[in-house]
Amino acid sequence: PHLHVAVFNGASSLHDKDGTPFAIASPGTASVVNVRLGDYFGTGAAWDGPVAFVGLYAGDFTTHPRYREFKQWAGAHYGITVA
């Protein structure tokens, strides 16, 4: 399992995997079309794996004061290492 966090904001979009920048299809250098919900890392193919949790947040959740707590929870709950 992995924790993927994506921020959709035009040229400053980002995609982190387990708390580390994960840049397939160069999200953040082009536009939001390169970072799509349900897209397999910018390839245009549909995600075909299981998903345990999805959350939507208006804004950049990585700057929220409780983001650290969320990462700790996700790591403990799903048994993953999150930077």
Side-chain angles (χ1 to χ4, degrees):
H2 296 284
L3 172 65
H4 289 273
V5 174
V7 176
F8 303 98
N9 189 26
S12 60
S13 299
L14 67 88
H15 179 191
D16 284 354
K17 175 184 172 188
D18 298 331
T20 304
F22 186 73
I24 292 178
S26 301
T29 59
S31 67
V32 74
V33 298
N34 288 326
V35 183
R36 292 172 285 207
L37 194 61
D39 183 10
Y40 189 69
F41 310 123
T43 64
W47 177 263
D48 64 357
V51 175
F53 176 85
V54 173
L56 297 176
Y57 179 81
D60 182 352
F61 186 55
T62 63
T63 63
H64 191 282
R66 298 193 69 186
Y67 180 60
R68 181 180 169 169
E69 293 175 44
F70 172 74
K71 292 193 304 181
Q72 290 172 339
W73 169 82
H77 187 79
Y78 294 107
I80 58 177
T81 302
V82 180

